Amino acid sequence: MQIDREEFLRYLGWKGQETDDTFLQKLDEAAKQCLALAAPRSVVRKFELTDGLELKGTGFFLEGKDSSEHLKGCREIYLMAATVGIGVERELMRLTQKSANAALLFDTAASCAVESYCDDVCDDLQKNNPFLLTARFSCGYGDFPLTAQKDICKLLRTDSQIGLCCDESFLLTPRKSVTAVVGISRIPYVPEKAPVRCMHKCSACKNAGCAFRKTE
């Protein structure tokens, strides 16, 4: 898990503007503080996927045309959930009371951290799988509804496994957490021939005006 400075700036909405040493030092300090407090944990479980996009035997269906397209050709999937822990949440709450600017930088650093950790989890899944995996696809991407988070958390028992809960508004606590689906294709995984996978799936999201959208 790491916090890449370029990703940090992208999450802050930077689009090539100049930065000075003082500002970059503040970024690095926020990143260092976040990583020191992070306690990353994850849970992953494999499911067979039916033609109707049900996780076989669970009664849970993956809704949305975008989900269907993303998982086209996949007969199995991984459900995953990851968090950087409650310590990060508590520090963010403390900073919110103290300094809006410090809170913003720490909050952004924490977003970068959890995405980086998810990348690590997905990389480990791929290294141990003979078939090519899709990029992770999270609730809220495209037309994959946020409501699915509650079902994912229940199936993975995230509350007892990693201390991650989903409330009645389908939001996660701790906030710096992610749930996602990763498809298992039938294409053999050959590391030197595998395409570079975009983990953030901006191309799958219909919010073209998003300030955090990656550009080619």
Side-chain angles (χ1 to χ4, degrees), residues 66-82:
D66 294 321
S67 301
S68 178
E69 184 63 27
H70 186 75
L71 298 171
K72 190 174 182 179
C74 297
R75 305 303 302 171
E76 294 180 307
I77 60 99
Y78 290 113
L79 279 190
M80 65 172 283

Side-chain angles (χ1 to χ4, degrees), residues 2 5 11 16 27-28 57 68 81 85 111 114 126 128 130-131 139 160 164-165 167 179 185 194 216:
Q2 62 182 356
R5 185 185 280 178
Y11 271 64
L27 294 189
D28 293 343
S68 178
S111 294
V114 71
Q126 182 62 88
N128 293 289
F131 296 106
C139 305
S160 61
L164 173 61
C165 300
D167 65 22
T179 60
S185 76
E216 296 296 330

Side-chain angles (χ1 to χ4, degrees), residues 10 13 18-19 32 39 45 60 68 71 77 85 88 107-108 115 128 131 136 144-145 150 153 184 189 205 208-209:
R10 184 178 73 84
E18 290 187 11
T19 56
K32 183 178 180 180
R45 184 178 169 190
F60 173 52
S68 178
L71 298 171
I77 60 99
V88 170
D107 180 78
T108 305
E115 291 294 340
N128 293 289
F131 296 106
R136 64 179 178 272
F144 188 23
K150 202 166 189 68
C153 287
I184 305 172
Y189 173 59
C205 181

Side-chain angles (χ1 to χ4, degrees), residues 1-4 7-8 10-11 34-35 38 40-42 80-85 88 107-123 135-141 149 172 175-180 197-202 212 214:
M1 183 177 69
Q2 62 182 356
I3 298 176
D4 179 76
E7 279 292 279
F8 201 155
R10 184 178 73 84
Y11 271 64
C34 178
L35 292 174
R41 301 178 69 189
S42 63
M80 65 172 283
T83 182
V84 290
V88 170
D107 180 78
T108 305
S111 294
C112 292
V114 71
E115 291 294 340
S116 175
Y117 177 55
C118 286
D119 289 349
D120 292 343
V121 172
C122 289
D123 285 344
R136 64 179 178 272
F137 199 79
S138 289
C139 305
Y141 284 4
Q149 288 202 132
L172 301 176
R175 286 193 302 146
K176 299 306 177 180
S177 305
V178 170
T179 60
R197 291 177 295 141
C198 172
M199 292 300 185
H200 300 283
K201 293 305 297 177
C202 289
F212 307 115
K214 280 189 171 182

Side-chain angles (χ1 to χ4, degrees), residues 125-172:
L125 287 175
Q126 182 62 88
K127 289 174 184 176
N128 293 289
N129 200 292
F131 296 106
L132 186 66
L133 303 184
T134 70
R136 64 179 178 272
F137 199 79
S138 289
C139 305
Y141 284 4
D143 60 358
F144 188 23
L146 195 64
T147 54
Q149 288 202 132
K150 202 166 189 68
D151 294 294
I152 292 174
C153 287
K154 183 178 179 180
L155 287 169
L156 295 179
R157 293 185 290 120
T158 59
D159 53 352
S160 61
Q161 293 293 313
I162 60 174
L164 173 61
C165 300
C166 184
D167 65 22
E168 294 305 314
S169 298
F170 310 107
L171 300 179
L172 301 176

